């Protein structure tokens, strides 16, 4: 039985349909990635699941409890890490966790151990008596994860947990989140628009304008785009090119002393191609479509066009300058 079940869920704010007839299921112990651009309906969906908003229609349940009808049962089963920090900056790390443990009725005798375990888990035990206002962004986010797991929830919701963190802190945070899945079999429901991060998910749903436009494992989604490319370098590329073209009936291109060819199912094709050139291979690599390519194919847009790279920004301002100045 799936631990999260969402059926025909919709949420309207006046005229605006923020979430439109959305359905999906998440298996216990999975890392589920909910992807989509700004304004897609991710936070709205999470808020309904976390019993903070009621749906306009449809239903959602967690661990068998209806999110609208049994909110207190649902709340016992979940932990939440929201985008905006809700830590008390004038309390220490330990005090923040203690406060949360009281809220969740963690037994007095167990409280200390639970808090210590959580602090160890996110690597902040040594800093437990420091005021939170002295913490970096990455440390605060880790403390929030510690707080989210104090009551040992079966499902942990993380809404854009790595937004605004530097790459090192992002990597750290991911380590802890994956550790949670391994050690406690915690189900992770997270949103992100860093596509590389979505690669760690066991399952993904992509939401755009309130609609789920695709779902599956990262591999399944990438296969829908097709377009693996195999790069191969051999001692005699001319001969290899002719041989591969003859056997597989594909066009092989040579560029920068390397051959490349399209393949529908790259990893299965590599051994066949190596065989075709008699095992004489200097190097071989596979380029896969990214999840960003999946989003682009589905919507015609980049998922992060609102806040792309510095290069994108420069390119865009050059374009704008040219438009104005002809
Ligand atoms: N309380 C609200 N009142 C009115 N509109 C809202 C409210 N919350 C969200 N919205 C709108 O619903 C849409 C989905 O928002 P949200 O779920 O926050 O998207 P995401 O988290 O994917 O960025 C957006 O157009 C947003 O402006
Ligand atoms: Mg959001």
């Amino acid at each position: 039985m799936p631990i999260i079940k969402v059926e025909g869920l919709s949420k309207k704010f006046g005229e605006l349909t923020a979430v439109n007839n959305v359905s999906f299921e998440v298996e216990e112990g999975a890392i589920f990635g909910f992807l989509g651009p700004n304004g897609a309906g991710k936070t709205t969906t999470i808020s309904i699941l976390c019993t903070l908003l009621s749906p306009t229609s449809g239903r959602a349940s967690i661990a068998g409890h209806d999110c609208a009808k049994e909110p207190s049962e649902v709340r016992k089963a979940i932990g939440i890490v929201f985008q905006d920090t809700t830590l008390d900056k004038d309390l220490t790390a330990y005090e923040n966790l203690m406060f949360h443990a009281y809220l969740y009725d963690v037994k007095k005798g167990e409280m200390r151990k639970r808090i210590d375990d959580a602090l160890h888990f996110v690597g902040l035990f040594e800093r437990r008596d420091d005021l939170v206002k002295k913490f970096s962004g990455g440390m605060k986010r880790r403390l929030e994860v510690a707080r989210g797991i104090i009551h040992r929830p079966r499902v942990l919701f993380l809404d854009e947990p790595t937004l605004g963190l530097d790459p090192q802190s992002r990597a750290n945070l991911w380590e802890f989140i994956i550790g949670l899945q391994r050690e406690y079999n915690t189900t992770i429901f997270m949103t992100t628009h860093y596509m590389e991060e979505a690669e760690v998910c066991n399952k993904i749903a992509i939401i755009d304008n309130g609609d789920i436009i695709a779902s599956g494992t990262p591999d399944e989604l990438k296969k829908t785009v097709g377009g693996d490319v195999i790069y191969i370098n051999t001692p005699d590329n001319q001969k290899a090119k002719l041989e591969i073209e003859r056997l597989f009936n594909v066009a092989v291109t040579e560029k920068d002393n390397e051959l490349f060819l399209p393949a529908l199912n790259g990893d299965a094709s590599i051994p066949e191609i190596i065989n075709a050139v008699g095992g004489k291979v200097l190097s071989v690599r596979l380029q896969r479509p990214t999840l960003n390519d999946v989003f682009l194919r589905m919507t015609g847009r980049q998922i992060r066009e609102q806040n792309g790279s510095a290069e994108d920004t420069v390119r865009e301002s050059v374009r704008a300058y040219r438009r104005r100045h002809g």
Side-chain angles (χ1 to χ4, degrees):
M1 199 181 82
I3 189 152
I4 302 176
K5 207 167 171 190
V6 173
E7 294 164 281
L9 197 71
S10 295
K11 179 68 185 180
K12 291 186 180 180
F13 295 110
E15 294 285 282
L16 179 99
T17 304
V19 175
N20 184 24
N21 193 24
V22 155
S23 302
F24 59 86
E25 292 180 353
V26 181
E27 297 300 320
E28 179 141 38
I31 298 185
F32 179 77
F34 205 40
L35 309 184
N38 278 333
K42 303 181 297 294
T43 300
T44 304
T45 305
I46 285 196
S47 302
I48 295 170
L49 288 169
C50 293
T51 77
L52 303 172
L53 264 183
S54 51
T56 308
S57 59
R59 38 177 274 128
S61 67
I62 293 182
H65 300 289
D66 189 291
C67 297
K69 294 185 193 127
E70 305 166 88
S72 58
E73 291 306 312
V74 170
R75 278 181 207 159
K76 277 180 208 151
I78 65 174
I80 318 173
V81 179
F82 269 132
Q83 203 176 310
D84 303 314
T85 168
T86 52
L87 297 163
D88 191 325
K89 294 185 186 57
D90 294 316
L91 297 180
T92 65
Y94 194 88
E95 288 163 345
N96 264 286
L97 298 192
M98 179 82 119
F99 181 76
H100 189 78
Y102 273 116
L103 277 186
Y104 273 88
D105 288 329
V106 174
K107 285 198 200 85
K108 263 245 165 71
E110 253 182 70
M111 210 176 265
R112 174 136 213 145
K113 184 170 170 7
R114 290 273 189 102
I115 295 174
D116 288 356
D117 282 354
L119 283 167
H120 275 300
F121 194 78
V122 299
L124 287 174
F125 186 74
E126 308 299 325
R127 305 294 301 268
R128 65 190 178 280
D129 294 324
D130 286 358
L131 293 180
V132 166
K133 63 180 161 205
K134 292 189 197 157
F135 282 10
S136 69
M139 289 163 74
K140 281 185 204 148
R141 211 53 66 76
R142 267 147 62 193
L143 185 59
E144 295 204 310
V145 172
R147 186 179 58 178
I149 60 175
I150 281 277
H151 54 289
R152 303 266 161 88
R154 288 172 71 186
V155 184
L156 182 65
F157 287 92
L158 300 141
D159 198 6
E160 312 245 12
T162 51
L163 195 73
L165 296 186
D166 60 88
Q168 180 65 46
S169 311
R170 277 167 58 188
N172 269 336
L173 192 66
W174 274 111
E175 238 172 73
F176 299 126
I177 291 169
I178 292 164
L180 269 181
Q181 180 197 35
R182 292 227 179 93
E183 274 187 45
Y184 300 106
N185 199 35
T186 310
T187 307
I188 310 288
F189 185 116
M190 63 121 187
T191 69
T192 184
H193 52 237
Y194 294 114
M195 285 296 175
E196 331 75 84
E197 294 185 338
E199 301 279 347
V200 308
C201 297
N202 304 110
K203 192 179 167 193
I204 288 169
I206 299 180
I207 184 168
D208 188 38
N209 287 323
D211 294 312
I212 290 193
I213 56 172
S215 66
T217 65
D219 262 358
E220 283 166 355
L221 288 177
K222 288 180 203 168
K223 287 217 171 94
T224 65
V225 183
D228 288 0
V229 179
I230 295 171
Y231 291 82
I232 185 164
N233 192 11
T234 71
D236 186 348
N237 279 346
Q238 273 319 306
K239 191 168 159 228
K241 174 172 150 67
L242 292 174
E243 199 60 7
I244 296 169
E245 285 182 334
R246 188 177 67 81
L247 283 172
F248 299 101
N249 196 27
V250 288
V252 179
T253 315
E254 182 164 15
K255 196 180 166 225
D256 301 332
N257 290 322
E258 207 174 26
L259 300 174
F260 66 91
L261 62 146
L264 270 182
N265 199 343
D267 22 41
S269 308
I270 282 178
E272 295 173 18
I273 286 171
I274 292 176
N275 276 338
V277 298
K280 296 197 189 74
V281 173
L282 298 173
S283 69
V284 61
R285 63 196 168 91
L286 174 65
Q287 188 178 301
R288 272 257 146 96
T290 64
L291 287 169
N292 223 340
D293 296 332
V294 176
F295 188 80
L296 187 65
R297 166 67 66 92
M298 297 285 181
T299 66
R301 284 174 286 122
Q302 298 278 355
I303 195 164
R304 296 183 66 199
E305 59 195 351
Q306 306 95 327
N307 46 1
S309 66
E311 203 184 317
D312 292 339
T313 314
V314 170
R315 225 181 270 136
E316 183 48 44
S317 42
V318 168
R319 252 184 249 129
Y321 179 87
R322 293 217 172 108
R323 275 199 299 274
R324 280 197 305 275
H325 296 88

